[in-house]
Amino acid sequence: MEILATDTEQLIKETAKRVFFAEGKLHATTQEIADAAGINRASIHYYFRSRQKLFDTVFIEATTEMRSKIQDIMEGGFSFRERTEKFIETFIEKSLKHPYLEMFIATEINTNPAIQLQLSKPSKEKENLKKLEDDIKNAVAEGRMKPITPHHFIISMMSLCSFPFLGRDIIKNAFSINDEEYKKLIAERKDVIIKLLFLDA
Amino acid sequence: MEILATDTEQLIKETAKRVFFAEGKLHATTQEIADAAGINRASIHYYFRSRQKLFDTVFIEATTEMRSKIQDIMEGGFSFRERTEKFIETFIEKSLKHPYLEMFIATEINTNPAIQLQLSKPSKEKENLKKLEDDIKNAVAEGRMKPITPHHFIISMMSLCSFPFLGRDIIKNAFSINDEEYKKLIAERKDVIIKLLFLDA
Amino acid sequence: MEILATDTEQLIKETAKRVFFAEGKLHATTQEIADAAGINRASIHYYFRSRQKLFDTVFIEATTEMRSKIQDIMEGGFSFRERTEKFIETFIEKSLKHPYLEMFIATEINTNPAIQLQLSKPSKEKENLKKLEDDIKNAVAEGRMKPITPHHFIISMMSLCSFPFLGRDIIKNAFSINDEEYKKLIAERKDVIIKLLFLDA
Amino acid sequence: MEILATDTEQLIKETAKRVFFAEGKLHATTQEIADAAGINRASIHYYFRSRQKLFDTVFIEATTEMRSKIQDIMEGGFSFRERTEKFIETFIEKSLKHPYLEMFIATEINTNPAIQLQLSKPSKEKENLKKLEDDIKNAVAEGRMKPITPHHFIISMMSLCSFPFLGRDIIKNAFSINDEEYKKLIAERKDVIIKLLFLDA
DNA sequence: AATGAATGAGGCTTCATTCAT
DNA sequence: TATGAATGAAGCCTCATTCAT
């Protein structure tokens, strides 16, 4: 009995994640989510009090996993190049699962002050940036990169990773390509990005 | 005085563009727009019949200008490098004005089949891609680029241009920077992008 | 110039009568009437102050004519039978012009206390009823009618006249007949009614 | 208690029937109906989705009962005279409950193609008319009626039944009578009608 | 634990009406 | 005289939320 209760809560969360972040229906109503989950609309309020609470919950769950993976990579003792490659892999992998999560963050972060998106713990922010700056300097000295500020490096990397998902429909529309061709482009993406960021790739 | 008649219509459109695409309130109500414009909500319906019609109108106006500028660049007899630089300039300039326009397109293009976003006229699509392929080949032969497919080149270029705006709040949030510092980053952006795309930059 | 003004006022009234009472659009908006008349909506208010005033005006005009004709018949020195026949003729003739006028009266007389529909001047009501009672008595005595109270006689006569118009669409629908066949029925109506009311018809 | 669930739905329907068809407020707003029922306006939408759906529902319920009763009479093996009397009784009885239902049909049947009002099943229409024609012929031969076509007979019968209700306020107004006197007239009505339709009544 | 019923708040739209010209 | 512009009032509908069970 008790397990069923948890099951329903889990079912609602998973359905919500799918509807919100996989299908891109960021403004789905509680009724739509209830229908998709095959449960009563009131159950959503029973478990989560409000639509917003449900949304916050699944949003945090969906981003936390990503953030901790990134943190593992950053602090895993990898080389600069390895770290970059793993970041790109992780980012693409996660985006394949929740293509619209990034989009939500981009859209709502300005209206919803509750959303905080730190790439690294605030305490380590300065430190991490400094480390990246050194890494870049070394790479430049070795002819593996052109000079670039840490901020621009991160922005460029995130740009190259994010946009293919953020702009999925723009791309499909602009190139008149189907799902299969789009997936092929995504699969090739990591190599393209690395080649753009590193001269010796 | 005589212009006043059209003035309200114009005022509504400009306010709507600002609210929707500059302030990012893509789901602003007619009341919010009316308040922002200092007019009665019914006036919006007087001029545009429905919220959707208003939205469509300002959306088309906002994108058409951009699209025609891009087309001018593509067919202006410029060199590959010049074309790329001008595209980036134009894109950044437009995005400074309507940072959330791109976001709306990204969000809604899949649910609103009316939105068509061709980079080039369908009739010239193949031709333009072929031309780009040749340009890239030449640049590679001359050591000014690494090999890259036309599709990936365009996606990368758009990524590097678009994301700083799409993800404005993500960036500001992640780097804990203020508006001024953000603007500085944007101002430096064109050079950064060109340096990533071209070896000889 | 001044004549034009009157022309517009007249045009509005005639259009309103047509739309309201001939076409049966009893809830036509001022815009619909303005469109039908080919004039500006505000003109209606310029001439009539409000939709209601326009309605009242055309309603009174449309009924007054009818009422005065009926009064002429009642006081014209005709025999009972002649009076009855003339009443029926007049009623049918008028209803052909404004088939929905009766319907409006029926619908709105209870919510609109302004609408007063006297068959005869209040002062003469009693007198007229008494006269009718005598007429019926005589006709019964002569074997030309069955006994009937004046009220029931009037109600029956009005029923037989009115309903074919009030229920025009019901009749057309129930009998699956077209306009032509309907008109034929109406044309035969007077004789049918007289035959039902008078034994010697 | 358990019935309560359906009770509100039933209450809304009954209130709507009363407001629409008994009180004649054919254009009553959802708020008026909600107030009359003592419930929240949103409940109407909860149960019926839209004002139109509610209206259609109660309209169909109100007419279906009547229509099936009429059909029972038509196919009940009664004599012509019995059938006619029963029709009149049923019609008057129903009209006492919903005096404005007929009026709505008359008003809206031409604008609302969904409203179909067959007196008999389309398949039996011809047959029933033929039967009525024979009945009339027999009655004429026996001196109980004057010659009349089936269409005119039906129209006359419906006229005499319907109008006292359609024109209730016209009658009360024209005769300056009160509710009691009006009811008395209605109570006498059946005999009056039969006397007009049949010579031997 | 779960749900059907009911509601308050808020959105879009229409319409008669007013106002300035 | 006539009208385009603008508005307030009021209507319908949807949605998240609450409540009783």
Side-chain angles (χ1 to χ4, degrees):
Chain A
M1 279 302 202
E2 290 155 58
I3 306 178
L4 272 176
T6 304
D7 274 3
T8 300
E9 187 173 351
Q10 200 60 31
L11 172 64
I12 292 173
K13 287 202 291 192
E14 273 162 23
T15 306
K17 280 181 200 166
R18 174 162 54 78
V19 172
F20 287 142
F21 303 133
E23 299 174 9
K25 295 170 190 163
L26 295 178
H27 294 89
T29 65
T30 52
Q31 185 65 69
E32 284 174 297
I33 295 165
D35 288 348
I39 51 111
N40 187 288
R41 185 175 56 203
S43 295
I44 292 175
H45 287 86
Y46 176 74
Y47 285 106
F48 300 93
R49 300 299 296 165
S50 78
R51 183 191 183 281
Q52 192 58 47
K53 288 254 174 63
L54 167 62
F55 197 104
D56 292 350
T57 301
V58 296
F59 171 72
I60 287 177
E61 282 195 16
T63 51
T64 297
E65 187 194 352
M66 169 71 177
R67 212 180 308 179
S68 77
K69 269 197 182 174
I70 297 288
Q71 220 132 55
D72 289 351
I73 292 168
M74 290 304 157
E75 299 167 357
F78 300 109
S79 75
F80 176 36
R81 175 70 169 270
E82 279 169 338
R83 253 169 32 228
T84 307
E85 293 201 16
K86 281 178 192 293
F87 177 92
I88 296 169
E89 276 164 23
T90 305
F91 198 100
I92 289 177
E93 179 196 0
K94 169 225 86 169
S95 291
L96 280 170
K97 192 174 165 199
H98 288 155
Y100 292 89
L101 179 55
E102 195 79 2
M103 200 174 292
F104 168 73
I105 297 169
T107 311
E108 298 298 317
I109 201 170
N110 64 326
T111 58
N112 190 340
I115 301 176
Q116 292 296 327
L117 204 76
Q118 301 294 335
L119 293 181
S120 47
K121 290 176 197 158
S123 57
K124 297 204 172 176
E125 197 182 324
K126 282 267 160 81
E127 184 185 336
N128 282 336
L129 273 181
K130 178 68 184 127
K131 186 175 152 204
L132 175 57
E133 196 172 359
D134 291 342
D135 285 334
I136 292 173
K137 267 186 194 157
N138 288 337
V140 170
E142 294 168 11
R144 288 185 280 112
M145 287 182 77
K146 293 184 187 172
I148 188 170
T149 68
H151 279 168
H152 276 298
F153 179 79
I154 294 173
I155 292 173
S156 298
M157 184 178 64
M158 289 186 67
S159 298
L160 293 162
C161 289
S162 240
F163 182 80
F165 296 98
L166 282 174
R168 186 180 73 155
D169 296 308
I170 295 176
I171 290 168
K172 287 177 62 179
N173 200 273
F175 294 157
S176 306
I177 63 177
N178 59 27
D179 259 359
E180 198 142 348
E181 293 167 311
Y182 172 75
K183 278 181 190 163
K184 190 162 161 287
L185 282 174
I186 293 293
E188 300 160 351
R189 200 66 202 149
K190 182 193 154 189
D191 282 351
V192 171
I193 296 173
I194 290 292
K195 268 195 182 168
L196 285 168
L197 293 178
F198 293 95
L199 293 173
D200 61 341
Chain B
M1 280 302 198
E2 293 151 59
I3 316 177
L4 271 177
T6 307
D7 265 7
T8 300
E9 185 173 354
Q10 200 60 32
L11 172 64
I12 293 173
K13 287 202 292 193
E14 273 162 23
T15 306
K17 280 181 198 167
R18 175 163 54 79
V19 172
F20 287 142
F21 303 133
E23 300 174 8
K25 295 170 190 163
L26 294 178
H27 295 89
T29 66
T30 53
Q31 187 62 68
E32 283 175 295
I33 294 166
D35 288 348
I39 50 116
N40 186 289
R41 188 176 45 178
S43 293
I44 291 175
H45 289 89
Y46 176 74
Y47 285 104
F48 299 95
R49 300 301 292 169
S50 76
R51 183 190 182 282
Q52 191 58 47
K53 288 249 174 67
L54 167 62
F55 196 103
D56 291 352
T57 300
V58 296
F59 172 73
I60 286 176
E61 280 194 17
T63 51
T64 297
E65 188 194 352
M66 169 70 178
R67 210 180 308 181
S68 77
K69 270 195 181 174
I70 297 289
Q71 218 133 57
D72 288 351
I73 292 168
M74 291 304 157
E75 299 167 359
F78 300 107
S79 75
F80 176 36
R81 174 71 169 269
E82 282 170 336
R83 249 165 39 223
T84 307
E85 294 201 15
K86 280 177 191 294
F87 178 92
I88 296 169
E89 277 165 22
T90 305
F91 199 101
I92 289 176
E93 178 196 1
K94 169 228 88 168
S95 292
L96 279 171
K97 193 174 165 198
H98 288 153
Y100 292 88
L101 180 55
E102 195 79 1
M103 199 173 296
F104 168 72
I105 297 170
T107 311
E108 298 297 317
I109 201 171
N110 64 328
T111 58
N112 190 339
I115 301 176
Q116 291 297 328
L117 203 75
Q118 301 295 335
L119 295 181
S120 47
K121 290 175 197 157
S123 58
K124 296 204 171 175
E125 198 182 322
K126 283 265 162 81
E127 185 185 335
N128 283 336
L129 273 181
K130 178 71 185 124
K131 186 174 151 205
L132 175 57
E133 198 173 359
D134 291 342
D135 286 334
I136 292 173
K137 267 186 194 157
N138 288 335
V140 171
E142 293 168 11
R144 291 185 280 111
M145 288 182 77
K146 294 184 187 173
I148 188 171
T149 67
H151 277 169
H152 275 297
F153 178 80
I154 292 173
I155 292 174
S156 298
M157 184 178 64
M158 289 185 68
S159 298
L160 293 162
C161 289
S162 240
F163 183 80
F165 298 99
L166 284 174
R168 185 179 70 156
D169 296 307
I170 296 176
I171 290 168
K172 287 177 61 180
N173 201 272
F175 294 159
S176 306
I177 62 177
N178 60 27
D179 259 359
E180 197 141 347
E181 293 167 310
Y182 172 75
K183 276 183 191 161
K184 190 162 160 286
L185 281 175
I186 293 294
E188 301 159 350
R189 201 67 203 147
K190 182 191 154 190
D191 282 350
V192 172
I193 296 173
I194 290 292
K195 268 194 182 169
L196 286 168
L197 293 178
F198 292 95
L199 293 174
D200 60 342
Chain C
M1 279 301 202
E2 290 154 60
I3 305 178
L4 271 176
T6 304
D7 274 3
T8 300
E9 187 173 351
Q10 200 59 31
L11 172 64
I12 292 172
K13 288 201 292 191
E14 273 161 24
T15 306
K17 279 181 200 167
R18 174 162 53 77
V19 171
F20 287 141
F21 304 132
E23 299 174 7
K25 296 170 188 160
L26 294 179
H27 295 88
T29 65
T30 53
Q31 185 64 70
E32 284 174 298
I33 294 165
D35 288 349
I39 50 111
N40 186 287
R41 184 175 55 203
S43 294
I44 291 175
H45 288 85
Y46 176 74
Y47 284 106
F48 299 93
R49 299 299 296 166
S50 78
R51 183 190 183 282
Q52 192 57 50
K53 288 254 174 63
L54 167 61
F55 198 105
D56 291 351
T57 302
V58 296
F59 172 72
I60 286 177
E61 281 194 17
T63 52
T64 297
E65 187 194 353
M66 169 71 177
R67 212 180 308 179
S68 77
K69 269 196 183 175
I70 297 289
Q71 221 132 54
D72 288 351
I73 292 168
M74 291 304 156
E75 299 167 359
F78 299 108
S79 74
F80 176 37
R81 173 71 170 269
E82 279 170 338
R83 251 164 39 224
T84 307
E85 293 201 16
K86 280 178 192 293
F87 177 92
I88 296 170
E89 277 164 24
T90 305
F91 198 100
I92 289 177
E93 178 196 1
K94 169 228 83 169
S95 291
L96 280 170
K97 190 175 169 199
H98 287 154
Y100 292 88
L101 180 55
E102 194 79 1
M103 200 175 292
F104 167 72
I105 297 169
T107 312
E108 299 297 317
I109 202 171
N110 64 327
T111 59
N112 191 339
I115 301 176
Q116 292 296 330
L117 203 75
Q118 301 294 336
L119 293 182
S120 46
K121 291 176 195 158
S123 57
K124 297 203 173 176
E125 199 182 322
K126 283 265 163 82
E127 183 185 339
N128 283 335
L129 273 182
K130 178 73 184 120
K131 185 174 150 202
L132 176 56
E133 198 173 356
D134 291 341
D135 286 333
I136 292 173
K137 268 185 195 159
N138 288 337
V140 171
E142 294 169 11
R144 290 185 281 111
M145 288 182 78
K146 295 183 187 175
I148 188 170
T149 69
H151 279 168
H152 276 298
F153 179 79
I154 294 173
I155 292 173
S156 297
M157 185 178 65
M158 289 185 67
S159 299
L160 293 163
C161 289
S162 239
F163 183 80
F165 296 99
L166 283 174
R168 185 180 72 155
D169 296 307
I170 295 176
I171 290 169
K172 287 177 62 180
N173 200 273
F175 294 157
S176 306
I177 62 177
N178 59 27
D179 259 359
E180 198 141 348
E181 294 167 310
Y182 172 75
K183 277 181 190 162
K184 190 162 162 286
L185 282 175
I186 294 293
E188 301 160 349
R189 201 66 202 148
K190 183 192 154 189
D191 281 351
V192 171
I193 297 172
I194 291 292
K195 269 193 184 169
L196 286 168
L197 293 178
F198 293 95
L199 293 174
D200 60 340
Chain D
M1 279 305 198
E2 293 151 58
I3 315 176
L4 271 176
T6 307
D7 266 7
T8 300
E9 185 174 353
Q10 201 58 33
L11 172 64
I12 292 173
K13 287 202 292 192
E14 273 161 24
T15 306
K17 279 181 199 166
R18 174 163 54 80
V19 172
F20 287 142
F21 304 133
E23 299 175 6
K25 296 171 190 162
L26 294 178
H27 295 89
T29 65
T30 52
Q31 186 63 67
E32 283 175 296
I33 294 166
D35 288 350
I39 50 116
N40 186 290
R41 189 176 43 177
S43 292
I44 291 175
H45 290 89
Y46 176 73
Y47 284 105
F48 299 94
R49 300 300 292 171
S50 75
R51 184 191 183 281
Q52 191 57 48
K53 289 248 175 67
L54 168 62
F55 196 103
D56 292 352
T57 300
V58 295
F59 172 73
I60 286 176
E61 281 194 18
T63 52
T64 296
E65 188 193 352
M66 169 70 178
R67 211 180 307 180
S68 77
K69 270 196 182 174
I70 297 288
Q71 219 133 56
D72 288 350
I73 293 168
M74 290 304 155
E75 298 167 358
F78 300 108
S79 74
F80 175 38
R81 174 72 169 268
E82 281 169 336
R83 250 167 37 226
T84 306
E85 294 201 16
K86 280 175 192 292
F87 177 93
I88 295 169
E89 277 164 23
T90 305
F91 199 101
I92 288 176
E93 178 196 1
K94 169 226 90 171
S95 292
L96 279 170
K97 192 175 166 199
H98 289 154
Y100 292 89
L101 179 55
E102 195 78 1
M103 199 174 295
F104 168 72
I105 297 169
T107 313
E108 297 299 316
I109 202 171
N110 63 328
T111 58
N112 189 340
I115 302 176
Q116 292 297 328
L117 205 77
Q118 301 294 336
L119 294 181
S120 47
K121 290 177 196 158
S123 57
K124 297 204 172 176
E125 197 183 323
K126 282 264 162 79
E127 185 186 337
N128 283 336
L129 274 181
K130 178 70 184 128
K131 185 174 150 203
L132 176 56
E133 198 172 358
D134 291 342
D135 286 332
I136 293 173
K137 266 186 195 157
N138 287 337
V140 170
E142 294 168 10
R144 290 184 283 109
M145 288 181 76
K146 294 184 187 173
I148 189 171
T149 68
H151 279 168
H152 276 297
F153 178 80
I154 293 173
I155 292 174
S156 298
M157 184 178 64
M158 289 185 67
S159 299
L160 293 163
C161 289
S162 241
F163 183 80
F165 297 99
L166 283 174
R168 185 181 70 156
D169 296 307
I170 295 176
I171 290 168
K172 287 176 62 179
N173 202 273
F175 294 158
S176 307
I177 62 178
N178 59 27
D179 259 0
E180 197 141 348
E181 293 168 311
Y182 172 75
K183 276 181 191 163
K184 189 162 162 288
L185 282 175
I186 294 293
E188 302 160 348
R189 200 65 203 148
K190 183 192 154 190
D191 282 349
V192 172
I193 297 172
I194 290 292
K195 269 194 183 169
L196 286 168
L197 293 178
F198 293 94
L199 294 174
D200 60 341

